[in-house]
């Protein structure tokens, strides 16, 4: 509960913000958000979901409330975001500014996953392997080779530069702040996963950037982390009862703020997803066998984990045979259509053929035995006092093999387990890759039950916020998606901008609907050529790469030259070039997909028209969404109205939000999809959008 002293400290902090922040303008929405965040965080088990549009001043609002309540309760404040950009903004700008204005001192830490930090051990191994080409396989076994192909000259140069900067303490090992950006192959070599890390047994432990960051997190009062890391921690069982507190502080000692909260449901679902590439899994078992033989010879032990090497080889063969038997059964039972670009077999309501389930039960047993044995072998390797680089490489490879085995184990557990009564089923499906390889998949279809268990019922208090969480103020869809407690507060704040004056929403009278792909692409092209101001800054959003490419092919060449299309360069470079051209007085138009529809900040002349070519409905073939929709239908509910339309409305609102970023911005949003006029759900979607001036043309 909020005490009078805490209320006064919050009021004083807000007053100092008003006095000390240049150009500060008091906004009613920000004041309301401060009050609601404070009330939720001050209550044990408090929960709130707050939709705060662009311009509200979200980060400063939750900092004012969160820092003061956390200090009063002697708890840690953890801010979880979905993007590195917002994490860096908070750590480098917003939090230091708040602390400075209020004369506060606090230890602040940025927490990232292990893969975002340099692994000094792997760096040394990579550097040594380049210096001595005979050690590409570390002089031991090709299965332990670092380089999958000879390193390019640029990789060698980047490796040398990173190693030098780290050795001279000019770089702290944070990959996001590296003096030179490593390519994907090099990055994978000089970082590590949890499985590939040997922790305190590593000779580089004290110099490790990841563990240095973890120590800083332990001392910090304010922690900024990515949502993936927070969700990973929350789902880790502790040695004592409960979940969470393994990487980050214990949940009951933490006040959580999830910014960019609309990402939480999908990220939580991804935490439980698993897959097995069948052919790859069999090949990896063969390689694993050779590595285990090496481990037995190095450790000089006849029995590891209660298994002799011969008995272990037999277990490996049983698992390999079982994988091949399941693959054979699937290929006999499922004949994909040759016309299908992305062949998929999805179990209706998550139910697979019984013979596949029987195979999965056997695979679950064999894989579990294999996981226990590999774990014992790796521990034996780690206990060795000698071994040099070969030992290091072997322990890393065995740790990574354990991660792969765990993913297989989770897949077969999901395939062979029964769904809980009354709960949504797991999605279970099979896909065929372009090279005709089978992949078995499993995933939860809803994060609600998981988050109720590990977050809402576990944390001291939780606030989720974003510019778009509801469908026109209706939070039912988001509440279901995150398992929001019934007593939680939901609040949709009004925009601080005068959107009716600053923005116009246009729906031109096109003839073709999006399902007429060729005709709709042609009408988009014709409208852009005739009506877009190509000498200004524009953003054109597509829901599919195919339609984006088709429109580019059809556009007259003089307009194509002014287009920067997603995928042609990195996103940051495209945006920087766009900004440079606009500031130089030239026109530039960005063509993008969903990732350009959120998080892109192009104020003023950088974006004066946003064109949305199609309503952003989810792909109907998505197996997770399709399984959830089937389950809702089986219970007499309408998934299209309950899930599909609200989610598309939220995304549409997000896309519209790319236009007005400041109080002085003006422009138009053009929607080239007549379904908002012709379909019954269209009126609901239009009414849920912000109060732009509307110009809806009559049908041609």
């Amino acid at each position: 509960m909020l005490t009078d002293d805490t209320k006064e400290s919050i009021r004083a902090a807000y007053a100092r913000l008003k006095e000390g922040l240049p150009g500060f303008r008091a906004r009613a929405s920000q004041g309301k958000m401060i009050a609601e965040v404070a009330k939720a965080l001050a209550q044990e088990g408090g929960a709130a979901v707050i939709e705060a549009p662009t311009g509200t001043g979200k980060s400063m609002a939750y900092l004012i409330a969160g820092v003061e309540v956390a200090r009063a309760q002697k708890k840690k404040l953890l801010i979880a975001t979905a993007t590195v950009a917002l994490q860096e903004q908070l750590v480098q700008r917003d939090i230091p500014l708040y602390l400075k204005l209020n004369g506060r001192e606090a230890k602040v830490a940025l927490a990232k996953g292990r893969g975002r930090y340099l692994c000094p051990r792997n760096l040394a191994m990579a550097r040594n392997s380049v210096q001595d080409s005979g050690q590409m396989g570390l002089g031991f076994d090709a299965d332990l080779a670092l380089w999958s192909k000879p390193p390019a000259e640029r990789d060698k140069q980047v490796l040398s530069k990173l190693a030098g900067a780290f050795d001279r303490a000019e770089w702290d090992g944070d990959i996001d702040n590296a003096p030179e950006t490593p390519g994907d192959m090099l990055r994978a070599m000089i970082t590590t996963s949890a499985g590939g890390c040997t922790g305190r047994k590593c000779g580089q432990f004290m110099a490790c950037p990841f563990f240095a960051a973890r120590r800083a997190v332990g001392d910090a009062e304010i922690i900024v982390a990515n949502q993936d890391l927070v969700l990973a921690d929350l789902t880790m069982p502790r040695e004592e009862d409960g979940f969470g507190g393994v990487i980050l502080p214990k949940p009951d000692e933490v006040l959580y703020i999830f910014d960019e909260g609309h990402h939480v449901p999908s990220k939580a679902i991804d935490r439980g997803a698993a897959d097995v590439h069948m052919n790859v899994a069999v090949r990896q078992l063969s390689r694993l066998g050779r590595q285990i033989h090496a481990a037995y010879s190095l450790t000089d032990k006849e029995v590891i984990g209660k298994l002799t090497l011969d008995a272990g080889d037999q277990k490996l063969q049983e698992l390999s045979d079982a994988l091949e038997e399941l693959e054979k059964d699937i290929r006999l039972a499922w004949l994909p259509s040759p016309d299908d670009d992305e062949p998929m077999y999805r179990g209706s309501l998550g139910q697979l053929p019984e013979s596949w389930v029987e195979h999965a039960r056997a695979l679950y047993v064999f894989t579990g035995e294999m996981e226990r044995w590999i774990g014992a072998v790796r521990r034996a390797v780690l206990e060795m006092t000698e071994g040099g680089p070969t030992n290091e490489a072997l322990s890393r490879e065995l740790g990574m093999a354990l991660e792969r085995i765990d993913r297989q184990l989770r897949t077969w557990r999901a395939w062979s387990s029964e769904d809980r009564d009354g709960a949504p089923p797991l999605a279970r499906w099979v896909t065929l890759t372009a090279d005709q390889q089978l992949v078995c998949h499993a995933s939860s279809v809803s994060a609600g039950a998981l988050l109720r268990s590990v977050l809402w019922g576990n944390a001291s208090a939780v606030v989720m916020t974003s510019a778009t969480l509801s469908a026109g103020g209706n939070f039912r869809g988001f509440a279901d998606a995150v398992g929001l407690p019934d007593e939680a507060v939901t609040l949709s704040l009004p925009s601080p901008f005068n959107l009716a004056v600053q923005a116009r929403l246009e729906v031109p009278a096109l003839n073709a609907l999006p399902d007429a792909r060729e005709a709709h692409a042609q009408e988009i092209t014709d409208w852009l050529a005739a009506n877009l101001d190509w000498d200004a800054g524009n953003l054109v959003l597509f829901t599919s790469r195919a339609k984006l490419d088709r429109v580019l092919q059809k556009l007259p060449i003089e307009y194509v030259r002014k287009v920067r299309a997603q995928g042609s360069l990195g996103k940051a470079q495209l945006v920087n070039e766009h900004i440079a051209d606009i500031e130089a007085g030239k026109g530039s138009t960005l063509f993008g997909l969903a990732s350009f529809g959120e998080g892109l900040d192009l104020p003023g002349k950088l974006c004066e028209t946003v064109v949305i070519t199609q309503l952003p409905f989810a792909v109907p073939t998505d197996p997770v969404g399709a399984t959830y929709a089937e389950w809702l239908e089986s219970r007499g509910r309408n998934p299209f109205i309950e899930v599909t339309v609200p989610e598309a409305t939220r995304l549409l609102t997000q896309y519209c939000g790319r236009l007005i970023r400041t109080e002085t911005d003006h422009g138009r949003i053009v929607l080239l999809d007549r379904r908002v006029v012709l379909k019954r759900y269209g009126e609901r979607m239009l009414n849920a959008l912000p109060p732009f001036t509307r110009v809806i043309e009559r049908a041609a």
Side-chain angles (χ1 to χ4, degrees), residues 263-289:
H263 287 286
V264 171
S266 61
K267 287 184 176 293
I269 287 174
D270 289 345
R271 286 296 311 160
D275 57 55
V276 179
H277 291 247
M278 300 294 282
N279 190 44
V280 173
V282 172
R283 288 204 312 270
Q284 287 172 341
L285 287 178
S286 176
R287 171 174 170 164
L288 176 60

Side-chain angles (χ1 to χ4, degrees), residues 13-24:
Y14 187 50
R16 284 189 286 270
L17 181 72
K18 288 193 287 188
E19 294 167 6
L21 201 59
F24 178 87

Side-chain angles (χ1 to χ4, degrees), residues 514-538:
D515 55 357
R517 296 180 184 179
E518 190 67 23
H520 190 241
Q522 185 63 57
E523 289 210 63
I524 292 171
T525 305
D526 295 343
W527 189 94
L528 292 173
N531 298 286
L532 198 65
D533 183 353
W534 292 92
D535 294 322
N538 308 300

Side-chain angles (χ1 to χ4, degrees), residues 212-271:
R214 183 180 283 191
R215 288 190 288 271
V217 166
D219 295 336
E221 299 159 72
I222 304 172
I223 302 164
V224 178
N226 61 58
Q227 291 177 8
D228 291 307
L229 180 65
V230 175
L231 290 167
D233 181 67
L234 286 168
T235 53
M236 287 181 182
R238 292 199 298 268
E239 289 184 4
E240 64 268 31
D241 290 341
F243 287 84
V246 178
I247 301 172
L248 300 169
K250 291 182 180 180
D252 60 356
E253 299 171 358
V254 176
L255 305 179
Y256 291 88
I257 305 281
F258 285 85
D259 201 345
E260 300 176 313
H262 57 282
H263 287 286
V264 171
S266 61
K267 287 184 176 293
I269 287 174
D270 289 345
R271 286 296 311 160

Side-chain angles (χ1 to χ4, degrees), residues 574-609:
L574 283 175
V575 172
N576 289 337
E577 290 185 2
H578 172 84
I579 292 172
D581 270 4
I582 298 300
E583 290 179 344
K586 305 174 186 177
S588 177
T589 297
L590 290 167
F591 273 26
L593 302 170
S595 62
F596 274 52
E598 64 170 286
L600 209 57
D601 190 22
L602 298 170
K605 292 185 177 295
L606 299 179
C607 183
E608 296 181 290
T609 298

Side-chain angles (χ1 to χ4, degrees), residues 26 35 49 114 146-147 217 232 306 381 479 481 545 579 600 633 693:
V49 169
R114 203 179 310 247
L146 286 174
W147 301 90
V217 166
K306 299 181 181 179
V381 172
R545 165 63 62 183
I579 292 172
L600 209 57
E633 287 174 345
T693 296

Side-chain angles (χ1 to χ4, degrees), residues 28-154:
S29 291
Q30 188 181 49
K32 179 67 172 172
M33 182 171 178
I34 292 170
E36 292 299 332
V37 172
K39 283 194 290 187
L41 295 182
Q43 179 181 347
E44 190 62 35
V49 169
I50 301 173
E51 185 174 66
T54 300
T56 301
K58 286 192 292 294
S59 59
M60 206 53 73
Y62 59 64
L63 282 172
I64 289 172
V67 171
E68 300 307 320
V69 173
R71 288 175 70 92
Q73 297 192 352
K74 294 182 172 54
K75 292 184 177 177
K76 295 178 184 283
L77 179 66
L78 193 157
I79 304 166
T81 80
T83 61
V84 171
L86 182 52
Q87 291 161 33
E88 292 177 343
Q89 174 189 314
L90 285 164
V91 171
Q92 297 171 11
R93 190 187 75 184
D94 294 352
I95 295 174
L97 178 60
Y98 172 81
L99 295 174
K100 180 181 177 182
L101 290 174
N102 284 279
R104 298 275 200 201
E105 289 188 2
K107 292 182 179 178
V108 181
L110 177 60
K112 301 181 183 182
R114 203 179 310 247
R116 290 192 175 274
Y117 294 99
L118 174 75
C119 171
R121 178 199 64 186
N122 286 359
L123 174 70
M125 290 167 64
R127 183 162 48 173
N128 292 340
S129 72
V130 168
Q131 292 169 352
D132 181 355
S133 60
Q135 289 192 12
M136 286 292 171
L138 301 177
F140 182 77
D141 189 326
D143 287 322
L144 304 181
L146 286 174
W147 301 90
S148 57
K149 59 183 179 181
E153 193 58 38
R154 183 183 182 277

